[in-house]
Structure formats: structure tokens, C-alpha cells
Amino acid sequence: MNLNTSFDYAKASAVLKTISHPVRLEIVHHLSGESSKTVSDLVALLKLDQPSVSHHLTSLRLRGLLKADKRGKEVHYSLKEINLIQVLDCIQHCSCNY
């Protein structure tokens, strides 16, 4: 591992805690494409109720991981931190026992 000496472990821990919920990981996955998604889009993809999806989106947005753009009555969510895709990819290819 080649981390420089100024690596912020507290920040990294906070980001990992935020995405550590399975629903949040799936939201990041669904937002990893080119297009943004609305709450309604994510409700349909995740097969969860709207309040649950909104709760997870709020957590991700408040941590600064998502962008929320209001277009008329709809809010479109997209990844602000696109490097999260690499984190998911790394986890998916990890040979850890989980």
C-alpha cells in the first residue's frame, strides 16, 4: 500500500462508515453510470419504499458523496465522488472471506 504521510484516516473512516450499509453501496452502484437518478428511479431499482431510499440518499449527500440537482419538482442524484466506483470494484474483486 502506497499511502502518503498526509493520508487522513479519520476522513477515510467516515466515508467507509457512510457507504458500509448494503443499500448505500447499491445506490452508489446504480449511480455509477453516466445518467443521474431520481428518488423514484432508485425506489424502483432497489425495490424499497421511498422514505428508506430518501434516508440513505440524505446520508450520502450530507457526507458529500452525492450531488443533488433540483429540476422542476424532481431531484436528480449523481455521484460527486466518482472514485467510489473504484472502491466498489476493489471490494468486488477482493478475495476476503466475507
Side-chain angles (χ1 to χ4, degrees), residues 23-55:
V23 171
R24 293 183 194 149
L25 285 171
E26 194 170 353
I27 288 171
V28 170
H29 166 77
H30 286 300
L31 295 177
S32 65
E34 299 267 333
S35 63
S36 61
K37 304 263 188 285
T38 64
V39 174
S40 298
D41 295 334
L42 291 166
V43 164
L45 289 166
L46 299 168
K47 297 178 178 45
L48 294 172
D49 61 0
Q50 183 271 325
S52 295
V53 173
S54 291
H55 167 76

